Amino acid sequence: MELTGSTPAGPVLAAAYEVIRQPLGEILPRLSATLHGLVPHLAAAELSTHCAHSPFKTHGDSGSPAGRITAADLHPLVASVPAGQPWQGTVQLGGTEYPVLAVASDATARGALLVLVRSADSVIAAADTAVVQAMWDLVTSHFDRLATEAVPGALAQSRASAGERARVIAELTETHATALSGLLGVLRSRGLDDSAARAAAVDLSVTALVELRTERERDQAVAEEPAGQAFARLADSLRPMLRYSPVRLELGAPDTARPLAADVAHAARAVARALLLTVLEQDRLGRIHVGWHLTETELRVTVRDDGPGELTSCALGAHRVGERLDALGGRLDVDAVPGWGTTITATFPLGTPQPMPTDPLGSLGARELEVLTRLARGHRNRVIAQELHISESTVKFHVANILAKLGVASRGEASALFHAVA
């Protein structure tokens, strides 16, 4: 549904619901379509912290500015646009000046920005920008809830994608750094003439290296969170839970400032809160200690009490602790000593996860899939050729390509692989 300035409240709420019920990857396109009637625009871009693997996203039709906008283009707006105060003006995006509407939200701890690249530089009515602000606050709150609750399915996808993203960034960084460093070495050579040109080229190369490193730092600032800061946010959410309780809460902050991946920090906070809720259900409690400890390879979240010592791992099932840990490859240990208390430890690995498995048949073209489908049914080349209205030699050509792409040695192995993934 596309909103206009005269749209009544009911349809506005219905449109908002349609936006947030989309899969994460479809929310920005749906939001863009919904707001187009209020603010006609060529492209939409967001820079937010809910998603560790893709905090920066753009959307727009082919030929729109969407493909030329970078995260660096949005960072000045992040710093200058106050939350709750939509800003209209002209900025440079992808090397071109565009009129934009920028809307910032503080519904997440580190904020989120929506930029609509407009098709005209006319003034948008305050009532319309207020609707855009409300929609972005709602969407951002939805993102924050998904991250805070660390929903296992989204968590697993985010974790795997974050690892792949980190790998690509590292490869690009090394490639560009090597090329620029080599260029600097050549330009600094005393065997070259024209010192003025050499000096200018050296200056340009140094600037490019600095910008490359700055871009990586910006990306890390969005995708990572310092361990101490992450624990402080946890502590702020735990204290109200025991404000009127006789149970004393003790907090053990990590003794390191090293950064944590945002999805690990979100999950660790969600698990710690769930464990505390479970522990508080016991009788005869006097003290609970919640602590984080980081090693080179893992984060250990510990909740220790002085209760009856009768808790089991089954008691934690209602809070989906196991699911959250499984999504990140973690584990849960419960050590209960009757009469002395219980220590629950949730361990999160900190290493880069393996990328999500890809479709083994994804490398095949449409015609090759048609041939493989019939091959898996036991059809011979002549029958396949008749069904697809191609020659037998063409079928043989496709079969050879299929075997090579799938890395198998025979038609039988190709058929078995097809049935295994179909």
Side-chain angles (χ1 to χ4, degrees):
M1 172 180 180
E2 182 179 294
L3 298 180
T4 63
S6 60
T7 305
V12 170
L13 292 175
Y17 170 71
E18 285 300 320
V19 171
I20 64 174
R21 70 191 293 265
Q22 302 300 314
L24 283 177
E26 297 299 321
I27 286 182
L28 182 60
R30 178 57 67 93
L31 180 63
S32 174
T34 301
L35 296 178
H36 194 272
L38 284 175
V39 184
H41 55 277
L42 305 171
E46 71 168 271
L47 186 62
S48 53
T49 59
H50 71 279
C51 187
H53 71 277
S54 53
F56 169 68
K57 296 185 181 70
T58 62
H59 170 72
D61 294 333
S62 176
S64 75
R68 301 189 297 275
I69 302 173
T70 67
D73 292 332
L74 303 190
H75 277 287
L77 293 173
V78 172
S80 61
V81 177
Q85 300 179 34
W87 178 83
Q88 304 177 51
T90 301
V91 297
Q92 190 170 71
L93 301 172
T96 304
E97 293 281 341
Y98 290 100
V100 303
L101 173 66
V103 181
S105 174
D106 57 2
T108 63
R110 289 180 286 169
L113 180 76
L114 172 69
V115 175
L116 301 179
V117 184
R118 303 175 56 204
S119 51
D121 197 12
S122 57
V123 177
I124 306 170
D128 293 342
T129 61
V131 173
V132 177
Q133 179 74 62
M135 290 283 286
W136 184 235
D137 285 339
L138 178 64
V139 168
T140 304
S141 298
H142 175 62
F143 288 154
D144 191 54
R145 182 187 66 81
L146 293 179
T148 300
E149 294 182 2
V151 178
L155 195 60
Q157 180 183 5
S158 173
R159 184 74 167 132
S161 299
E164 182 65 12
R165 175 170 169 266
R167 182 189 64 79
V168 172
I169 289 174
E171 289 181 356
L172 287 174
T173 299
E174 290 299 323
T175 299
H176 287 291
T178 300
L180 291 173
S181 296
L183 177 61
L184 282 172
V186 172
L187 294 175
R188 285 172 174 162
S189 172
R190 295 183 179 181
L192 296 176
D193 296 325
D194 196 347
S195 60
R198 185 165 63 250
V202 168
D203 182 63
L204 288 173
S205 299
V206 169
T207 301
L209 277 171
V210 170
E211 180 60 29
L212 182 67
R213 290 165 182 160
T214 301
E215 188 63 31
R216 185 172 184 180
E217 290 171 0
R218 286 172 179 162
D219 181 82
Q220 289 176 337
V222 173
E224 298 178 343
E225 188 173 0
Q229 179 180 311
F231 187 83
R233 290 178 59 189
L234 169 66
D236 289 341
S237 68
L238 295 185
R239 291 188 184 100
M241 297 169 62
L242 284 84
R243 181 171 298 162
Y244 303 105
S245 170
V247 179
R248 185 172 76 256
L249 175 63
E250 298 175 352
L251 298 170
D255 57 359
T256 176
R258 65 177 289 189
L260 288 173
D263 54 349
V264 172
H266 287 316
R269 283 192 292 265
V271 166
R273 286 191 294 267
L275 294 179
L276 182 61
L277 285 172
T278 302
V279 169
L280 285 173
E281 294 173 358
Q282 302 175 100
D283 297 326
R284 305 190 306 277
L285 282 180
R287 176 180 58 84
I288 298 176
H289 177 90
V290 178
W292 283 12
H293 177 69
L294 276 82
T295 69
E296 288 299 316
T297 59
E298 61 188 22
L299 164 65
R300 290 198 291 269
V301 177
T302 303
V303 178
R304 185 173 63 251
D305 67 62
D306 61 353
E310 298 172 353
L311 276 180
T312 66
S313 57
C314 295
L316 305 172
H319 298 290
R320 304 171 71 187
V321 172
E323 293 179 53
R324 291 186 172 107
L325 285 167
D326 288 344
L328 295 181
R331 67 180 187 276
L332 184 70
D333 298 299
V334 180
D335 182 15
V337 180
W340 289 89
T342 304
T343 299
I344 308 173
T345 303
T347 303
F348 297 84
L350 298 180
T352 301
Q354 295 298 317
M356 297 180 72
T358 57
D359 180 4
L361 307 182
S363 61
L364 302 183
R367 178 63 82 180
E368 290 167 342
L369 283 173
E370 291 178 335
V371 172
L372 179 58
T373 300
R374 288 161 175 78
L375 199 68
R377 295 172 184 164
H379 294 180
R380 309 305 301 172
N381 289 352
R382 180 173 55 81
V383 176
I384 296 175
Q386 291 173 349
E387 292 179 347
L388 298 181
H389 306 289
I390 57 179
S391 66
E392 284 192 56
S393 60
T394 302
V395 174
K396 292 179 181 178
F397 174 78
H398 285 313
V399 170
N401 283 342
I402 291 169
L403 299 184
K405 289 183 177 181
L406 297 183
V408 296
S410 67
R411 298 162 64 102
E413 290 182 23
S415 298
L417 181 58
F418 175 85
H419 288 299
V421 301

PDB file of all heavy atoms in Angstrom, residues 286-314:
ATOM      1  N   GLY A 286      19.612 -15.534  47.942  1.00  0.00           N
ATOM      2  CA  GLY A 286      20.125 -14.338  48.582  1.00  0.00           C
ATOM      3  C   GLY A 286      21.012 -13.517  47.675  1.00  0.00           C
ATOM      4  O   GLY A 286      21.111 -12.298  47.808  1.00  0.00           O
ATOM      5  N   ARG A 287      21.639 -14.176  46.703  1.00  0.00           N
ATOM      6  CA  ARG A 287      22.620 -13.497  45.862  1.00  0.00           C
ATOM      7  C   ARG A 287      22.703 -14.164  44.494  1.00  0.00           C
ATOM      8  O   ARG A 287      22.622 -15.384  44.380  1.00  0.00           O
ATOM      9  CB  ARG A 287      23.999 -13.540  46.535  1.00  0.00           C
ATOM     10  CG  ARG A 287      25.142 -12.961  45.723  1.00  0.00           C
ATOM     11  CD  ARG A 287      26.454 -13.070  46.510  1.00  0.00           C
ATOM     12  NE  ARG A 287      26.743 -14.456  46.863  1.00  0.00           N
ATOM     13  CZ  ARG A 287      27.349 -15.321  46.035  1.00  0.00           C
ATOM     14  NH1 ARG A 287      27.706 -14.945  44.830  1.00  0.00           N
ATOM     15  NH2 ARG A 287      27.585 -16.554  46.426  1.00  0.00           N
ATOM     16  N   ILE A 288      22.864 -13.329  43.455  1.00  0.00           N
ATOM     17  CA  ILE A 288      23.079 -13.815  42.084  1.00  0.00           C
ATOM     18  C   ILE A 288      24.236 -13.023  41.482  1.00  0.00           C
ATOM     19  O   ILE A 288      24.267 -11.790  41.558  1.00  0.00           O
ATOM     20  CB  ILE A 288      21.831 -13.643  41.201  1.00  0.00           C
ATOM     21  CG1 ILE A 288      20.656 -14.461  41.745  1.00  0.00           C
ATOM     22  CG2 ILE A 288      22.134 -14.062  39.766  1.00  0.00           C
ATOM     23  CD1 ILE A 288      19.374 -14.253  40.967  1.00  0.00           C
ATOM     24  N   HIS A 289      25.162 -13.739  40.896  1.00  0.00           N
ATOM     25  CA  HIS A 289      26.304 -13.101  40.233  1.00  0.00           C
ATOM     26  C   HIS A 289      26.195 -13.359  38.731  1.00  0.00           C
ATOM     27  O   HIS A 289      26.043 -14.502  38.288  1.00  0.00           O
ATOM     28  CB  HIS A 289      27.627 -13.678  40.759  1.00  0.00           C
ATOM     29  CG  HIS A 289      28.829 -13.116  40.062  1.00  0.00           C
ATOM     30  ND1 HIS A 289      29.476 -11.987  40.500  1.00  0.00           N
ATOM     31  CD2 HIS A 289      29.489 -13.525  38.943  1.00  0.00           C
ATOM     32  CE1 HIS A 289      30.487 -11.728  39.693  1.00  0.00           C
ATOM     33  NE2 HIS A 289      30.518 -12.643  38.742  1.00  0.00           N
ATOM     34  N   VAL A 290      26.254 -12.277  37.936  1.00  0.00           N
ATOM     35  CA  VAL A 290      26.238 -12.371  36.477  1.00  0.00           C
ATOM     36  C   VAL A 290      27.559 -11.806  35.957  1.00  0.00           C
ATOM     37  O   VAL A 290      27.898 -10.654  36.254  1.00  0.00           O
ATOM     38  CB  VAL A 290      25.064 -11.595  35.860  1.00  0.00           C
ATOM     39  CG1 VAL A 290      25.110 -11.673  34.333  1.00  0.00           C
ATOM     40  CG2 VAL A 290      23.738 -12.132  36.381  1.00  0.00           C
ATOM     41  N   GLY A 291      28.285 -12.608  35.212  1.00  0.00           N
ATOM     42  CA  GLY A 291      29.578 -12.155  34.727  1.00  0.00           C
ATOM     43  C   GLY A 291      29.870 -12.602  33.308  1.00  0.00           C
ATOM     44  O   GLY A 291      29.303 -13.598  32.833  1.00  0.00           O
ATOM     45  N   TRP A 292      30.734 -11.843  32.653  1.00  0.00           N
ATOM     46  CA  TRP A 292      31.238 -12.201  31.325  1.00  0.00           C
ATOM     47  C   TRP A 292      32.749 -12.352  31.420  1.00  0.00           C
ATOM     48  O   TRP A 292      33.424 -11.547  32.073  1.00  0.00           O
ATOM     49  CB  TRP A 292      30.942 -11.103  30.296  1.00  0.00           C
ATOM     50  CG  TRP A 292      29.531 -11.062  29.798  1.00  0.00           C
ATOM     51  CD1 TRP A 292      28.461 -11.728  30.312  1.00  0.00           C
ATOM     52  CD2 TRP A 292      29.042 -10.282  28.704  1.00  0.00           C
ATOM     53  NE1 TRP A 292      27.333 -11.431  29.604  1.00  0.00           N
ATOM     54  CE2 TRP A 292      27.655 -10.544  28.603  1.00  0.00           C
ATOM     55  CE3 TRP A 292      29.634  -9.411  27.808  1.00  0.00           C
ATOM     56  CZ2 TRP A 292      26.865  -9.941  27.630  1.00  0.00           C
ATOM     57  CZ3 TRP A 292      28.851  -8.802  26.831  1.00  0.00           C
ATOM     58  CH2 TRP A 292      27.479  -9.069  26.742  1.00  0.00           C
ATOM     59  N   HIS A 293      33.251 -13.372  30.734  1.00  0.00           N
ATOM     60  CA  HIS A 293      34.688 -13.558  30.667  1.00  0.00           C
ATOM     61  C   HIS A 293      35.071 -13.900  29.234  1.00  0.00           C
ATOM     62  O   HIS A 293      34.484 -14.803  28.618  1.00  0.00           O
ATOM     63  CB  HIS A 293      35.140 -14.691  31.597  1.00  0.00           C
ATOM     64  CG  HIS A 293      36.613 -14.966  31.519  1.00  0.00           C
ATOM     65  ND1 HIS A 293      37.555 -14.081  31.991  1.00  0.00           N
ATOM     66  CD2 HIS A 293      37.306 -16.029  30.996  1.00  0.00           C
ATOM     67  CE1 HIS A 293      38.761 -14.574  31.775  1.00  0.00           C
ATOM     68  NE2 HIS A 293      38.636 -15.753  31.180  1.00  0.00           N
ATOM     69  N   LEU A 294      36.026 -13.148  28.669  1.00  0.00           N
ATOM     70  CA  LEU A 294      36.461 -13.371  27.292  1.00  0.00           C
ATOM     71  C   LEU A 294      37.843 -13.988  27.265  1.00  0.00           C
ATOM     72  O   LEU A 294      38.742 -13.584  28.004  1.00  0.00           O
ATOM     73  CB  LEU A 294      36.512 -12.050  26.514  1.00  0.00           C
ATOM     74  CG  LEU A 294      35.202 -11.560  25.891  1.00  0.00           C
ATOM     75  CD1 LEU A 294      34.369 -10.854  26.943  1.00  0.00           C
ATOM     76  CD2 LEU A 294      35.476 -10.629  24.719  1.00  0.00           C
ATOM     77  N   THR A 295      37.986 -14.990  26.413  1.00  0.00           N
ATOM     78  CA  THR A 295      39.298 -15.536  26.082  1.00  0.00           C
ATOM     79  C   THR A 295      39.557 -15.226  24.615  1.00  0.00           C
ATOM     80  O   THR A 295      38.777 -14.535  23.963  1.00  0.00           O
ATOM     81  CB  THR A 295      39.342 -17.051  26.321  1.00  0.00           C
ATOM     82  OG1 THR A 295      38.504 -17.709  25.351  1.00  0.00           O
ATOM     83  CG2 THR A 295      38.846 -17.398  27.734  1.00  0.00           C
ATOM     84  N   GLU A 296      40.632 -15.739  24.073  1.00  0.00           N
ATOM     85  CA  GLU A 296      40.939 -15.500  22.664  1.00  0.00           C
ATOM     86  C   GLU A 296      39.920 -16.144  21.743  1.00  0.00           C
ATOM     87  O   GLU A 296      39.714 -15.701  20.613  1.00  0.00           O
ATOM     88  CB  GLU A 296      42.335 -16.036  22.333  1.00  0.00           C
ATOM     89  CG  GLU A 296      43.463 -15.209  22.920  1.00  0.00           C
ATOM     90  CD  GLU A 296      43.461 -13.784  22.407  1.00  0.00           C
ATOM     91  OE1 GLU A 296      43.275 -13.600  21.197  1.00  0.00           O
ATOM     92  OE2 GLU A 296      43.643 -12.862  23.213  1.00  0.00           O
ATOM     93  N   THR A 297      39.248 -17.186  22.215  1.00  0.00           N
ATOM     94  CA  THR A 297      38.392 -17.968  21.320  1.00  0.00           C
ATOM     95  C   THR A 297      36.924 -17.984  21.698  1.00  0.00           C
ATOM     96  O   THR A 297      36.096 -18.432  20.908  1.00  0.00           O
ATOM     97  CB  THR A 297      38.880 -19.430  21.269  1.00  0.00           C
ATOM     98  OG1 THR A 297      38.852 -19.979  22.596  1.00  0.00           O
ATOM     99  CG2 THR A 297      40.295 -19.497  20.720  1.00  0.00           C
ATOM    100  N   GLU A 298      36.551 -17.511  22.901  1.00  0.00           N
ATOM    101  CA  GLU A 298      35.156 -17.630  23.301  1.00  0.00           C
ATOM    102  C   GLU A 298      34.760 -16.585  24.337  1.00  0.00           C
ATOM    103  O   GLU A 298      35.606 -15.986  25.012  1.00  0.00           O
ATOM    104  CB  GLU A 298      34.870 -19.034  23.845  1.00  0.00           C
ATOM    105  CG  GLU A 298      35.686 -19.405  25.065  1.00  0.00           C
ATOM    106  CD  GLU A 298      35.516 -20.863  25.465  1.00  0.00           C
ATOM    107  OE1 GLU A 298      35.128 -21.674  24.593  1.00  0.00           O
ATOM    108  OE2 GLU A 298      35.770 -21.185  26.640  1.00  0.00           O
ATOM    109  N   LEU A 299      33.455 -16.368  24.425  1.00  0.00           N
ATOM    110  CA  LEU A 299      32.849 -15.537  25.462  1.00  0.00           C
ATOM    111  C   LEU A 299      32.047 -16.452  26.371  1.00  0.00           C
ATOM    112  O   LEU A 299      31.174 -17.195  25.899  1.00  0.00           O
ATOM    113  CB  LEU A 299      31.937 -14.481  24.842  1.00  0.00           C
ATOM    114  CG  LEU A 299      30.946 -13.783  25.798  1.00  0.00           C
ATOM    115  CD1 LEU A 299      31.694 -12.964  26.845  1.00  0.00           C
ATOM    116  CD2 LEU A 299      29.966 -12.909  25.018  1.00  0.00           C
ATOM    117  N   ARG A 300      32.326 -16.383  27.677  1.00  0.00           N
ATOM    118  CA  ARG A 300      31.589 -17.194  28.646  1.00  0.00           C
ATOM    119  C   ARG A 300      30.695 -16.293  29.485  1.00  0.00           C
ATOM    120  O   ARG A 300      31.164 -15.365  30.158  1.00  0.00           O
ATOM    121  CB  ARG A 300      32.553 -17.977  29.539  1.00  0.00           C
ATOM    122  CG  ARG A 300      33.289 -19.085  28.819  1.00  0.00           C
ATOM    123  CD  ARG A 300      33.873 -20.089  29.801  1.00  0.00           C
ATOM    124  NE  ARG A 300      34.966 -19.516  30.573  1.00  0.00           N
ATOM    125  CZ  ARG A 300      36.244 -19.562  30.215  1.00  0.00           C
ATOM    126  NH1 ARG A 300      36.581 -20.132  29.061  1.00  0.00           N
ATOM    127  NH2 ARG A 300      37.181 -19.027  30.971  1.00  0.00           N
ATOM    128  N   VAL A 301      29.401 -16.554  29.423  1.00  0.00           N
ATOM    129  CA  VAL A 301      28.403 -15.832  30.211  1.00  0.00           C
ATOM    130  C   VAL A 301      28.026 -16.724  31.397  1.00  0.00           C
ATOM    131  O   VAL A 301      27.509 -17.825  31.207  1.00  0.00           O
ATOM    132  CB  VAL A 301      27.160 -15.510  29.364  1.00  0.00           C
ATOM    133  CG1 VAL A 301      26.089 -14.834  30.213  1.00  0.00           C
ATOM    134  CG2 VAL A 301      27.534 -14.647  28.170  1.00  0.00           C
ATOM    135  N   THR A 302      28.287 -16.254  32.613  1.00  0.00           N
ATOM    136  CA  THR A 302      28.078 -17.075  33.813  1.00  0.00           C
ATOM    137  C   THR A 302      27.036 -16.436  34.718  1.00  0.00           C
ATOM    138  O   THR A 302      27.102 -15.232  34.998  1.00  0.00           O
ATOM    139  CB  THR A 302      29.390 -17.239  34.599  1.00  0.00           C
ATOM    140  OG1 THR A 302      30.376 -17.809  33.735  1.00  0.00           O
ATOM    141  CG2 THR A 302      29.191 -18.148  35.800  1.00  0.00           C
ATOM    142  N   VAL A 303      26.080 -17.249  35.151  1.00  0.00           N
ATOM    143  CA  VAL A 303      25.086 -16.828  36.147  1.00  0.00           C
ATOM    144  C   VAL A 303      25.187 -17.805  37.314  1.00  0.00           C
ATOM    145  O   VAL A 303      24.941 -19.007  37.154  1.00  0.00           O
ATOM    146  CB  VAL A 303      23.662 -16.828  35.563  1.00  0.00           C
ATOM    147  CG1 VAL A 303      22.641 -16.444  36.643  1.00  0.00           C
ATOM    148  CG2 VAL A 303      23.570 -15.862  34.379  1.00  0.00           C
ATOM    149  N   ARG A 304      25.565 -17.285  38.482  1.00  0.00           N
ATOM    150  CA  ARG A 304      25.797 -18.130  39.662  1.00  0.00           C
ATOM    151  C   ARG A 304      24.912 -17.655  40.813  1.00  0.00           C
ATOM    152  O   ARG A 304      24.816 -16.449  41.072  1.00  0.00           O
ATOM    153  CB  ARG A 304      27.275 -18.050  40.056  1.00  0.00           C
ATOM    154  CG  ARG A 304      27.666 -18.983  41.202  1.00  0.00           C
ATOM    155  CD  ARG A 304      29.170 -18.986  41.423  1.00  0.00           C
ATOM    156  NE  ARG A 304      29.700 -17.696  41.819  1.00  0.00           N
ATOM    157  CZ  ARG A 304      30.443 -16.901  41.064  1.00  0.00           C
ATOM    158  NH1 ARG A 304      30.749 -17.249  39.823  1.00  0.00           N
ATOM    159  NH2 ARG A 304      30.893 -15.739  41.519  1.00  0.00           N
ATOM    160  N   ASP A 305      24.262 -18.609  41.508  1.00  0.00           N
ATOM    161  CA  ASP A 305      23.387 -18.242  42.624  1.00  0.00           C
ATOM    162  C   ASP A 305      23.746 -19.047  43.871  1.00  0.00           C
ATOM    163  O   ASP A 305      24.540 -19.995  43.814  1.00  0.00           O
ATOM    164  CB  ASP A 305      21.913 -18.455  42.252  1.00  0.00           C
ATOM    165  CG  ASP A 305      21.553 -19.926  42.068  1.00  0.00           C
ATOM    166  OD1 ASP A 305      21.662 -20.703  43.041  1.00  0.00           O
ATOM    167  OD2 ASP A 305      21.162 -20.319  40.949  1.00  0.00           O
ATOM    168  N   ASP A 306      23.136 -18.653  44.989  1.00  0.00           N
ATOM    169  CA  ASP A 306      23.335 -19.389  46.247  1.00  0.00           C
ATOM    170  C   ASP A 306      22.043 -20.072  46.685  1.00  0.00           C
ATOM    171  O   ASP A 306      21.759 -20.187  47.865  1.00  0.00           O
ATOM    172  CB  ASP A 306      23.822 -18.430  47.348  1.00  0.00           C
ATOM    173  CG  ASP A 306      22.819 -17.317  47.631  1.00  0.00           C
ATOM    174  OD1 ASP A 306      21.814 -17.217  46.885  1.00  0.00           O
ATOM    175  OD2 ASP A 306      23.042 -16.550  48.595  1.00  0.00           O
ATOM    176  N   GLY A 307      21.251 -20.507  45.688  1.00  0.00           N
ATOM    177  CA  GLY A 307      19.959 -21.125  45.961  1.00  0.00           C
ATOM    178  C   GLY A 307      20.051 -22.584  46.333  1.00  0.00           C
ATOM    179  O   GLY A 307      21.121 -23.084  46.731  1.00  0.00           O
ATOM    180  N   PRO A 308      18.950 -23.315  46.164  1.00  0.00           N
ATOM    181  CA  PRO A 308      18.898 -24.715  46.609  1.00  0.00           C
ATOM    182  C   PRO A 308      19.752 -25.670  45.798  1.00  0.00           C
ATOM    183  O   PRO A 308      19.970 -26.816  46.196  1.00  0.00           O
ATOM    184  CB  PRO A 308      17.412 -25.058  46.483  1.00  0.00           C
ATOM    185  CG  PRO A 308      16.868 -24.094  45.487  1.00  0.00           C
ATOM    186  CD  PRO A 308      17.651 -22.827  45.667  1.00  0.00           C
ATOM    187  N   GLY A 309      20.242 -25.244  44.618  1.00  0.00           N
ATOM    188  CA  GLY A 309      21.100 -26.113  43.813  1.00  0.00           C
ATOM    189  C   GLY A 309      20.370 -27.263  43.170  1.00  0.00           C
ATOM    190  O   GLY A 309      20.912 -28.367  43.072  1.00  0.00           O
ATOM    191  N   GLU A 310      19.169 -26.984  42.693  1.00  0.00           N
ATOM    192  CA  GLU A 310      18.353 -28.056  42.100  1.00  0.00           C
ATOM    193  C   GLU A 310      17.997 -27.787  40.635  1.00  0.00           C
ATOM    194  O   GLU A 310      17.202 -28.514  40.047  1.00  0.00           O
ATOM    195  CB  GLU A 310      17.074 -28.227  42.920  1.00  0.00           C
ATOM    196  CG  GLU A 310      17.336 -28.633  44.365  1.00  0.00           C
ATOM    197  CD  GLU A 310      16.078 -28.620  45.210  1.00  0.00           C
ATOM    198  OE1 GLU A 310      15.024 -28.156  44.699  1.00  0.00           O
ATOM    199  OE2 GLU A 310      16.137 -29.061  46.381  1.00  0.00           O
ATOM    200  N   LEU A 311      18.550 -26.748  40.027  1.00  0.00           N
ATOM    201  CA  LEU A 311      18.231 -26.420  38.638  1.00  0.00           C
ATOM    202  C   LEU A 311      18.825 -27.444  37.675  1.00  0.00           C
ATOM    203  O   LEU A 311      19.906 -27.988  37.915  1.00  0.00           O
ATOM    204  CB  LEU A 311      18.764 -25.040  38.266  1.00  0.00           C
ATOM    205  CG  LEU A 311      17.906 -23.824  38.614  1.00  0.00           C
ATOM    206  CD1 LEU A 311      18.601 -22.557  38.157  1.00  0.00           C
ATOM    207  CD2 LEU A 311      16.532 -23.922  37.958  1.00  0.00           C
ATOM    208  N   THR A 312      18.115 -27.681  36.589  1.00  0.00           N
ATOM    209  CA  THR A 312      18.606 -28.542  35.518  1.00  0.00           C
ATOM    210  C   THR A 312      18.491 -27.797  34.192  1.00  0.00           C
ATOM    211  O   THR A 312      17.822 -26.767  34.094  1.00  0.00           O
ATOM    212  CB  THR A 312      17.802 -29.850  35.419  1.00  0.00           C
ATOM    213  OG1 THR A 312      16.456 -29.538  35.019  1.00  0.00           O
ATOM    214  CG2 THR A 312      17.790 -30.570  36.760  1.00  0.00           C
ATOM    215  N   SER A 313      19.140 -28.315  33.167  1.00  0.00           N
ATOM    216  CA  SER A 313      19.082 -27.666  31.853  1.00  0.00           C
ATOM    217  C   SER A 313      17.667 -27.656  31.288  1.00  0.00           C
ATOM    218  O   SER A 313      17.323 -26.797  30.474  1.00  0.00           O
ATOM    219  CB  SER A 313      20.031 -28.367  30.875  1.00  0.00           C
ATOM    220  OG  SER A 313      19.714 -29.748  30.784  1.00  0.00           O
ATOM    221  N   CYS A 314      16.831 -28.589  31.717  1.00  0.00           N
ATOM    222  CA  CYS A 314      15.441 -28.633  31.230  1.00  0.00           C
ATOM    223  C   CYS A 314      14.675 -27.377  31.633  1.00  0.00           C
ATOM    224  O   CYS A 314      13.764 -26.935  30.920  1.00  0.00           O
ATOM    225  CB  CYS A 314      14.727 -29.863  31.774  1.00  0.00           C
ATOM    226  SG  CYS A 314      15.399 -31.431  31.175  1.00  0.00           S
TER     227      CYS A 314
END
